[in-house]
Amino acid sequence: MKPIIFALCTVLSLFLMSCTSEININSTDKGVEFSFNGVAQKGFEKLVKSLGAENQNFIDSVQITDELTKAGFSAVDVKQKNLADLSIFMTAANKNNFLFESGVVVMENNIYKADFSRDKLKVFYEKADAQVIQVMDLLLAPVFNDEEMTVEEYLEVIAAFYGDSVAEELKTSKVKVISKGWAKNYSLPEILCGYCD
């Protein structure tokens, strides 16, 4: 696996395996600021350690910064306090990036919102480059493969591939999106199964 794919897998996986991940979207005179904070649970941390990562050098913040910059973001700041605690800050000066182009981030009545509907996530997947698609494929998410699957069936697949502890943690994982004038909590397994329409 190429180093950047491995690094992106780590970032995405930490996001997905966090008990509650928080995404903040703020409009400024410089553009739109995004910040992500997540702390992975014990099952994911154990999985990461089984891959040979014992310290915070598991994520190459320089590579992640470079890739996000190439994807149209600026002022990218990636911090990892320890193996399981990750934060990312970035700014989009315009809407020429995969978050806006896919419709996963939208503006309604001058308020930025997240839209994790099946259609938007499918477009997000299709607009991603080959490396990001490889990362998303590791999630085995039905929403990206145009499959119909219940959350329970999906968690059984995750348990078969990554173990029961990872599946149990994913089951309770939430994504909280906050923007000025709007906030919403999402169930991560429901997002990945396409049930957030």
Side-chain angles (χ1 to χ4, degrees), residues 20-186:
T20 299
S21 299
E22 187 171 293
I23 302 169
N24 287 279
I25 308 169
N26 295 304
S27 181
T28 70
D29 53 353
K30 296 178 183 176
V32 183
E33 295 177 343
F34 298 90
S35 65
F36 155 77
N37 291 289
V39 179
Q41 298 181 67
K42 296 292 182 194
F44 176 73
E45 190 172 352
K46 183 178 175 183
L47 177 65
V48 168
K49 286 181 178 178
S50 74
L51 296 172
E54 294 293 334
N55 58 46
Q56 64 190 50
N57 295 328
F58 185 57
I59 291 179
D60 187 332
S61 60
V62 173
Q63 281 188 322
I64 298 301
T65 300
D66 289 346
E67 289 302 310
L68 288 171
T69 301
K70 288 177 190 173
F73 298 97
S74 61
V76 179
D77 186 23
V78 179
K79 292 181 181 169
Q80 184 183 13
K81 295 178 187 170
N82 57 50
L83 185 61
D85 189 345
L86 178 72
S87 66
I88 299 173
F89 175 86
M90 58 192 182
T91 301
N94 56 50
K95 296 181 180 178
N96 295 330
N97 61 68
F98 58 90
L99 294 176
F100 287 107
E101 290 173 354
S102 65
V104 169
V105 175
V106 296
M107 181 181 266
E108 294 177 0
N109 300 320
N110 293 320
I111 297 172
Y112 285 105
K113 298 181 179 182
D115 184 346
F116 294 131
S117 63
R118 178 178 287 274
D119 291 343
K120 301 292 170 90
L121 288 172
K122 187 69 175 164
V123 173
F124 176 81
Y125 182 85
E126 291 167 355
K127 287 194 171 287
D129 65 32
Q131 291 179 334
V132 174
I133 288 172
Q134 286 179 330
V135 172
M136 289 190 282
D137 286 346
L138 292 175
L139 302 173
L140 310 171
V143 72
F144 298 136
N145 300 312
D146 213 19
E147 293 179 56
E148 294 292 331
M149 192 179 291
T150 66
V151 169
E152 292 75 22
E153 290 169 333
Y154 173 59
L155 293 171
E156 287 175 12
V157 171
I158 292 296
F161 276 83
Y162 299 115
D164 291 334
S165 61
V166 172
E168 279 301 313
E169 290 173 0
L170 179 59
K171 182 178 181 177
T172 60
S173 292
K174 305 282 184 204
V175 177
K176 183 176 185 177
V177 183
I178 302 168
S179 177
K180 185 177 180 181
W182 182 85
K184 189 166 182 177
N185 287 305
Y186 297 89

